[in-house]
Amino acid sequence: MAGKRTRYSADFKAKVALEALRGELTAAQLAAKHGIHQTMVGEWKRQAMEGLTAVFSGKSAAQESAKATEADVEKLHAKIGQLLVERDFLAKASG
């Protein structure tokens, strides 16, 4: 029977990925140093690289996301208002 999977914290993953990005040690050396598998080092390094682009483009992406969310909220508020008016009208009409 296999053991439980180990869940690593985000801080630990970031630490290992940063060491991998520095390139001072190989993936095998980092894996041995931290007691993890080599593929995890590579995967965390790849995720860190992808995340870096989001960090530097984060402001514009966050603003676009906020505008889209704001527009959705406005549409939903309009729909709620319309439904309230219809409900009130039908309640008065039915007596």
Side-chain angles (χ1 to χ4, degrees), residues 43 45-55:
E43 181 66 20
K45 180 180 176 182
R46 184 189 58 77
Q47 289 175 357
M49 291 295 291
E50 289 174 358
L52 284 176
T53 57
V55 168

Side-chain angles (χ1 to χ4, degrees), residues 44-94:
W44 295 345
K45 180 180 176 182
R46 184 189 58 77
Q47 289 175 357
M49 291 295 291
E50 289 174 358
L52 284 176
T53 57
V55 168
F56 292 110
S57 66
K59 290 182 181 177
S60 62
Q63 288 174 349
E64 290 175 16
S65 175
K67 288 179 183 178
T69 303
E70 206 171 296
D72 289 343
V73 169
E74 289 294 323
K75 288 179 187 177
L76 291 172
H77 280 271
K79 186 65 174 176
I80 290 170
Q82 177 188 357
L83 291 172
L84 287 173
V85 169
E86 290 175 3
R87 184 196 66 184
D88 292 343
F89 176 77
L90 292 173
K92 288 180 185 178
S94 67

Side-chain angles (χ1 to χ4, degrees), residues 3-68:
K4 281 190 158 186
R5 287 184 183 215
T6 305
R7 301 263 181 198
Y8 297 102
S9 69
D11 291 333
F12 178 74
K13 290 178 183 181
K15 177 182 159 188
V16 174
L18 188 59
E19 287 183 29
L21 287 172
R22 285 187 188 135
E24 295 171 356
L25 299 173
T26 65
Q29 291 170 331
L30 284 172
K33 176 181 174 183
H34 295 289
I36 57 176
H37 197 272
Q38 294 188 100
T39 57
M40 295 173 114
V41 174
E43 181 66 20
W44 295 345
K45 180 180 176 182
R46 184 189 58 77
Q47 289 175 357
M49 291 295 291
E50 289 174 358
L52 284 176
T53 57
V55 168
F56 292 110
S57 66
K59 290 182 181 177
S60 62
Q63 288 174 349
E64 290 175 16
S65 175
K67 288 179 183 178

